[in-house]
C-alpha cells in the first residue's frame, strides 16, 4: 500500500513561521514543494531565504505573484500567492505540478483576536480547510498533514496531556481547530484512501540555526518567546509575567516548548509514515514532553543572548492554565521521532535570528 514518496508536496501557509521551516526540511529531504500563501501574515522574502538555504539557484518571477527556484528538472520550490478559501487560487497551486500530499499550515492563530473576530476565524480556518479538501478530492490527492494545536485541550488538569484527553476548547481559535479535526475525521471515514495526520503542536519556538529564517510576528507578539526576544534585543522595555502565584515551583506558568526544527522534522516523519503505511487517520501530539516555567525561559534566554530581560509581575492572563506538557510518547512510537533540541538550543537559535533580524524580514 506504499504511496509514491517523491511526488511534489503542496504546503499551504508555507511562508509563515512553522511552514517556512517545514518547507526547508522537505526541500532538503529531496522533495519538490509548491507553497500557497496569501502573505497576510508573512513575506515572500522568507521563501527566498528558504530557497537559498536549500541551495536552490535562482528566484524568478514566473507569473504575477508567482516565483520559482531550482532547476526545471529536480528539486524545486514554486510559490503561488493565493488564498486557500479561493477555488481559483487552489487550482493555480495544483496546476504547478502533480501534487502527492499536502501540509496545511495556512490559518489564523491569535487567541485574543479570535475572541473578537470569531466569524473570520471560522471562515479562514474551517472554510479554508473545507475548500482545500474539495480541491484535494478533485485532484485525487488524499494525503494530508494538518496543523492542529494543543489549544483544543482547553484547561486540561491532567499532565502530561495525552491524545485521549477531552477536546474542550475555551476560545474560538481552539473551536476552529477542533472543528477541522472533526471535518477531517468525517472525510476519512467517508471513503477509503485518505491518509491524514492531525498534529497537535504544543509551544513551537526558536528558529533555524542559521539565523536566516524565524518567527516574524506583525505588531506586538502574543506569545512568550517572541516577547522575550524582543525585550532582549531592546525593541520592548520589559516583559509582563502573567502570574507569579501559580501552583508551580517558582510560581510562574509551565509550558512544553518545542524547537521549530524538531517540529518541522516531525512533519517530515509524519508524511513518511502516511506514505509508507496503509491509509489511516492519525492524531498525534508534537511536544518535547518537558516543561519549563516562564522564569526558566527568561534565564535561558539571558544566558544565550548575554542580554538582560527585565520583567515585572502582572496578573494572570484570562484563559491560562498553570501547566501544559505533552505526553509525546505516541509520536515517538509511531513516527520514530522525538524532539531532541533543548531549551538552551531554542534560545540560542531564536537569539541568532532576532539579533540578525531585529525587525524581522522587514530589515
Ligand atoms: P503564521 O501566521 O506564521 O503562518 C501562517 C501562514 O498562513 C502565513 O504565512 C499566512 O500568510 C498564511 N495564511 C493565512 N491565511 C491564509 C489564507 N487564507 N490563505 C493562504 N495563506 C494564508 O503561523 P504559524 O505559527 O506558522 O502557524 C501555522 C499553523 O500552525 C497555523 O494553522 C496555526 O494555527 C498552527 N499552530 C501554530 C502554533 C504556534 O504557536 N505557532 C501552535 C499550534 C498550532
Ligand atoms: C497560547 C494560546 C494557545 C496557543 C499557544 C501557541 C492563550 C490563552 N493560549 O498558549 O491557545 O495554542 O499560545 O500559539 O493565549 N506569558 C507571560 N507573559 C507574556 C506572555 C505569556 O508570562 O507576555 C506566559 C503565559 O502566562 C504562559 C507562558 O508565558 O504561562 C506561555 O504563553 P504563550 O507563549 O502565550 O503560550 P500559551 O499560553 O501556552
Amino acid at each position: 500500500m506504499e504511496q509514491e514518496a517523491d511526488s511534489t508536496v503542496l504546503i499551504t501557509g508555507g511562508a509563515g513561521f512553522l511552514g517556512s521551516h517545514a518547507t526547508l526540511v522537505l526541500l532538503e529531504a529531496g522533495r519538490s514543494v509548491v507553497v500557497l500563501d496569501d502573505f497576510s501574515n508573512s513575506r515572500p522574502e522568507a521563501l527566498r531565504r528558504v530557497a537559498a538555504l536549500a541551495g536552490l539557484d535562482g528566484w524568478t518571477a514566473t507569473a504575477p505573484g508567482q516565483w520559482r527556484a531550482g532547476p526545471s528538472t529536480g528539486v524545486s520550490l514554486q510559490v503561488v500567492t493565493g488564498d486557500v478559501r479561493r477555488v481559483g487560487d487552489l487550482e493555480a497551486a495544483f496546476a504547478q505540478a502533480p501534487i502527492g500530499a499536502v501540509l496545511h499550515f495556512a490559518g489564523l492563530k491569535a487567541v485574543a483576536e479570535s475572541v473578537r473576530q470569531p466569524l473570520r476565524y471560522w471562515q479562514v480556518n474551517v472554510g479554508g480547510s473545507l475548500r482545500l479538501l474539495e480541491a484535494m478530492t478533485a485532484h485525487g490527492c488524499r494525503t494530508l498533514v494538518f496543523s492542529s494545536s494543543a489549544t483544543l485541550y482547553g484547561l486540561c488538569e491532567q499532565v502530561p496531556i495525552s491524545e485521549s484527553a477531552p477536546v474542550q476548547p475555551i476560545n474560538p481559535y481552539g473551536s476552529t481547530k477542533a472543528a477541522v479535526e472533526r471535518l477531517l475525521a468525517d472525510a476519512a471515514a467517508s471513503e477509503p484512501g485518505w491518509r491524514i495526520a492531525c498534529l497537535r503542536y504544543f509551544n513551537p519556538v526558536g528558529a533555524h540555526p542559521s539565523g536566516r529564517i524565524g518567527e516574524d510576528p506583525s505588531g506586538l507578539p502574543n506569545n512568550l518567546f517572541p516577547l522575550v526576544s524582543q525585550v532582549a534585543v531592546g525593541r520592548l522595555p520589559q516583559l509582563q509575567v502573567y502570574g507569579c502565584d501559580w501552583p508551580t515551583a517558582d510560581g510562574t506558568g509551565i509550558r512544553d516548548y518545542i524547537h521549530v526544527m524538531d517540529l518541522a522534522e516531525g512533519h517530515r516523519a509524519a508524511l513518511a509514515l502516511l506514505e509508507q503505511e496503509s491509509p489511516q487517520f492519525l492524531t498525534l501530539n508534537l511536544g518535547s514532553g518537558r516543561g519549563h516555567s516562564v522564569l526558566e525561559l527568561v534565564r535561558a534566554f539571558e544566558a544565550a543572548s548575554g542580554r538582560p530581560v527585565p520583567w515585572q509581575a502582572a496578573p494572570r492572563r484570562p484563559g491560562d492554565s498553570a501547566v501544559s506538557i505533552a505526553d509525546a510518547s505516541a509520536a515517538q512510537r509511531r513516527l520514530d521521532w522525538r524532539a531532541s533540541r533543548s531549551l538552551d538550543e531554542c534560545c540560542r537559535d531564536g537569539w541568532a535570528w532576532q539579533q540578525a533580524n531585529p525587525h524581522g524580514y522587514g530589515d
Side-chain angles (χ1 to χ4, degrees):
M1 286 299 263
E2 234 178 81
Q3 230 203 352
E4 212 187 324
D6 58 358
S7 57
T8 299
V9 181
L10 169 62
I11 305 191
T12 73
F17 172 39
L18 307 180
S20 56
H21 292 78
T23 300
L24 176 58
V25 163
L26 285 199
L27 290 170
E28 286 179 338
R31 301 295 293 259
S32 286
V33 173
V34 172
V35 165
L36 175 65
D37 200 303
D38 67 358
F39 300 109
S40 54
N41 197 36
S42 56
R43 295 169 191 246
E45 172 65 12
L47 291 169
R48 206 183 57 76
R49 294 190 189 184
V50 164
L53 285 169
L56 298 182
D57 290 333
W59 174 256
T60 317
T62 51
Q66 297 187 13
W67 297 268
R68 180 192 170 93
S72 52
T73 56
V75 175
S76 66
L77 170 62
Q78 289 166 276
V79 181
V80 173
T81 304
D83 189 322
V84 280
R85 290 168 296 175
R86 283 206 207 108
V87 176
D89 294 348
L90 284 160
E91 285 305 313
F94 276 92
Q96 305 296 313
I99 301 293
V102 179
L103 306 190
H104 180 34
F105 291 96
L108 305 176
K109 61 166 184 176
V111 171
E113 187 183 63
S114 80
V115 175
R116 293 192 303 272
Q117 305 176 2
L119 303 190
R120 186 167 155 246
Y121 271 67
W122 277 81
Q123 206 181 71
V124 174
N125 292 358
V126 182
S129 300
L130 183 56
R131 284 285 100 77
L132 173 66
L133 274 194
E134 288 165 352
M136 289 178 68
T137 305
H139 289 272
C141 175
R142 295 279 193 287
T143 304
L144 173 67
V145 179
F146 170 60
S147 295
S148 190
S149 170
T151 198
L152 52 66
Y153 295 119
L155 297 175
C156 183
E157 307 230 309
Q158 263 202 328
V159 285
I161 304 174
S162 84
E163 291 82 355
S164 59
V167 169
Q168 44 192 17
I170 58 164
N171 51 62
Y173 168 62
S175 302
T176 65
K177 290 294 177 188
V180 175
E181 284 202 4
R182 193 64 254 160
L183 166 68
L184 298 178
D186 287 349
S190 71
E191 56 165 295
W194 282 100
R195 300 159 190 263
I196 297 179
C198 296
L199 302 182
R200 296 175 175 171
Y201 316 150
F202 277 66
N203 293 62
V205 296
H208 187 265
S210 64
R212 297 288 294 152
I213 56 171
E215 186 170 12
D216 182 17
S218 51
L220 192 65
N222 298 300
N223 299 119
L224 180 65
F225 195 90
L227 283 164
V228 168
S229 345
Q230 292 197 6
V231 173
V233 84
R235 261 177 87 174
L236 295 172
Q238 65 178 3
L239 177 75
Q240 306 288 315
V241 175
Y242 295 145
C244 293
D245 56 349
W246 294 100
T248 60
D250 66 16
T252 65
I254 292 181
R255 294 292 181 273
D256 182 330
Y257 297 99
I258 173 172
H259 194 294
V260 61
M261 290 304 293
D262 280 328
L263 188 108
E265 289 163 6
H267 284 70
R268 185 185 58 199
L271 184 58
L273 177 138
L274 291 178
E275 289 174 337
Q276 279 156 20
E277 293 190 352
S278 304
Q280 59 189 295
F281 181 82
L282 259 180
T283 305
L284 293 172
N285 287 339
L286 285 193
S288 70
R290 296 180 299 269
H292 293 285
S293 73
V294 174
L295 293 183
E296 279 174 341
L297 192 148
V298 165
R299 281 193 290 272
F301 207 95
E302 287 182 328
S305 64
R307 301 276 184 96
V309 177
W311 61 272
Q312 186 182 50
R316 291 181 181 187
R317 182 172 62 177
D320 269 357
S321 59
V323 183
S324 166
I325 301 173
D327 175 344
S329 58
Q332 287 174 11
R333 207 171 46 247
R334 295 292 283 120
L335 304 181
D336 192 20
W337 160 94
R338 65 174 59 233
S340 61
R341 294 159 176 93
S342 65
L343 184 68
D344 289 343
E345 288 172 277
C346 293
C347 294
R348 180 198 67 194
D349 297 338
W351 176 242
W353 155 254
Q354 183 68 71
Q355 200 181 21
N357 309 271
H359 298 280
Y361 293 109
D363 284 324

